[in-house]
Amino acid sequence: MRLRTEQLAGQLTKQLLPVYLLSGDELLIQQECADAIRQHCRQQGITERDVLEAERGFDWNALLEAGQSLSLFADRKLIELRLGGARMDQKSSAALQQYLEHADGSNILLITCGRLDSRSLNAKWVKAIDQAGAVVQIWPVDRRQLGGWIQQRLKDNGMSADREAAELLADRVEGNLLAADQEIQKLKILLGEQAVSLETVAAAVASSARYDIFKLIDAALAGNAAYALNMYNGLVAEGSEEIPMLGAISRELRSLYNCAAAIEQGNGIDRVLDGARVWDKRKNLYKRCLGQHSVGSLSRLLQLAGRLDAAQKGQSDESPRLLFTELITGLAGQSVISYPH
């Protein structure tokens, strides 16, 4: 069957199909559709997952073996086949059709790929998926629709905005949904769950023109302590509020801590990052940072953030500036100077 993205949730509540194909270039929507399928698999007791990357030289027998292999821990599993921009040739098409011919519905196959043109949508392998499961085409959000999309997204995050504020934000992100979602998350961290006005959006955009806390965090995750500290000093010099800045860093630390804990329990890092909904473009930053840190070191950084919070509120005699420097340096994986407390 062919489904629109807004129809997927309703279909999943009725039945979990043997195969899903998510096709499109809107990475945010594709990721969220994939998350919805993963969630319903877990609800059905399907907790094991095989991830296959169909890169150059990929052995398509691996797909057939994944479908036939038995698990020691579960009767069913989710198989994710990530085509990316790879083109399906006769061999790969035949392998996929062979998999579907022998599939009995025990395992769920989730295929993701870029946008398929009309010719590809009529290919035998797509028709086979259409017959056995669902093909979900993910269309770009038109600029005329983007303001409404942003308003709905804000509502989903417990916020609201009038049309003018949403349109300004739409202009700011220039049609990039990932950027739009990032801006909404930034507003939520800075403002909490409340109405977003035109003036608020304009001020938030203006305040991030030179430096912003999210670029600072990425620099620290990359291990560039000097650059991160330079941005911190720039933000302070521009009059940025340090309490919201700490909130953003603390949120990232909690995410890193949860990832590190899951990895220490034996989970693969790629699966952990997918579960934490880390964007593809930030996964290398997370991997680098998690390679430098353990659950223990991240726990100590969270404790340091707690001390900084107390210092910012005047509940201790420690210097917020020194503690902030220590926190940024520590997150970057550099040696941390201990200050008396």
Side-chain angles (χ1 to χ4, degrees):
M1 70 177 71
R2 299 289 173 102
L3 295 175
R4 299 190 302 274
T5 54
E6 60 268 24
Q7 295 175 312
L8 178 61
Q11 187 282 313
L12 286 169
T13 60
K14 297 175 183 178
Q15 180 188 9
L16 193 57
L17 298 173
V19 57
Y20 291 88
L21 169 63
L22 305 180
S23 165
D25 295 329
E26 288 290 1
L27 297 181
L28 176 67
I29 298 178
Q30 186 179 92
Q31 179 177 311
E32 291 179 342
C33 287
D35 285 343
I37 294 170
R38 295 182 189 115
Q39 180 181 359
H40 278 269
C41 284
R42 289 193 293 269
Q43 291 173 353
Q44 295 291 323
I46 305 173
T47 56
E48 184 173 347
R49 182 165 64 125
D50 285 349
V51 178
L52 305 176
E53 302 278 358
E55 299 173 340
R56 184 186 296 272
F58 175 68
D59 182 1
W60 281 88
N61 288 323
L63 173 62
L64 302 176
E65 292 170 0
Q68 296 168 359
S69 63
L70 298 177
S71 169
L72 296 174
F73 307 103
D75 297 327
R76 310 176 69 190
K77 62 183 174 182
L78 171 65
I79 303 171
E80 292 194 23
L81 176 62
R82 299 174 179 175
L83 299 180
R87 296 181 64 85
M88 295 288 287
D89 56 19
Q90 187 174 356
K91 181 179 179 180
S92 55
S93 176
L96 183 53
Q97 291 177 74
Q98 183 180 348
Y99 170 92
L100 294 174
E101 287 172 3
H102 294 88
D104 60 3
S106 298
N107 297 326
I108 307 300
L109 177 61
L110 169 59
I111 306 171
T112 55
C113 66
R115 183 178 61 85
L116 296 174
D117 57 27
S118 57
R119 181 179 178 182
S120 298
L121 287 169
N122 288 315
K124 290 182 179 179
W125 66 276
V126 177
K127 289 183 176 179
I129 296 171
D130 201 347
Q131 186 173 10
V135 176
V136 183
Q137 291 179 262
I138 300 168
W139 298 103
V141 176
D142 185 83
R143 175 60 186 87
R144 292 170 296 179
Q145 302 171 320
L146 185 55
W149 185 90
I150 287 173
Q151 284 183 301
Q152 181 60 50
R153 197 79 176 182
L154 286 164
K155 184 178 179 181
D156 294 341
N157 281 271
M159 309 169 75
S160 63
D162 58 27
R163 185 182 62 83
E164 289 185 339
E167 289 297 330
L168 176 60
L169 187 51
D171 289 338
R172 169 70 172 83
V173 300
E174 299 179 347
N176 187 324
L177 298 191
L178 283 170
D181 185 63
Q182 184 181 40
E183 293 290 346
I184 289 169
Q185 297 306 318
K186 287 162 64 174
L187 288 169
K188 185 174 181 178
I189 291 171
L190 295 170
L191 305 173
E193 296 184 356
Q194 59 177 275
V196 179
S197 67
L198 177 67
E199 292 76 15
T200 302
V201 174
V205 171
S207 68
S208 62
R210 183 180 176 193
Y211 298 113
D212 67 40
I213 185 61
F214 300 93
K215 292 178 182 177
L216 185 159
I217 291 172
D218 283 354
L221 293 178
N224 196 336
Y227 186 45
L229 288 172
N230 186 48
M231 282 194 283
Y232 166 65
N233 291 326
L235 283 164
V236 172
E238 291 176 352
S240 297
E241 292 289 336
E242 295 190 50
I243 291 179
M245 290 165 59
L246 175 60
I249 293 179
S250 296
R251 177 173 172 270
E252 204 79 44
L253 281 171
R254 286 191 292 270
S255 177
L256 286 163
Y257 176 87
N258 291 333
C259 288
I263 291 168
E264 285 199 3
Q265 291 171 3
N267 296 287
I269 189 168
D270 289 315
R271 179 178 298 185
V272 169
L273 296 183
D274 284 341
R277 300 185 67 179
V278 177
W279 294 351
D280 287 343
K281 67 180 182 180
R282 301 191 75 226
K283 283 182 178 178
N284 286 336
L285 290 174
Y286 257 64
K287 288 179 179 179
R288 183 266 163 205
C289 189
L290 289 168
Q292 294 287 318
H293 285 287
S294 63
V295 169
S297 66
L298 290 168
S299 176
R300 288 190 290 273
L301 286 175
L302 283 168
Q303 293 172 6
L304 177 59
R307 287 166 50 198
L308 175 53
D309 178 65
Q312 287 179 334
K313 296 175 180 176
Q315 297 172 354
S316 78
D317 295 331
E318 293 188 273
S319 166
R321 291 293 299 274
L322 290 178
L323 290 175
F324 227 128
T325 299
E326 185 177 355
L327 184 64
I328 293 169
T329 305
L331 178 57
Q334 305 288 332
S335 58
V336 179
I337 302 171
S338 295
Y339 297 99
H341 63 280

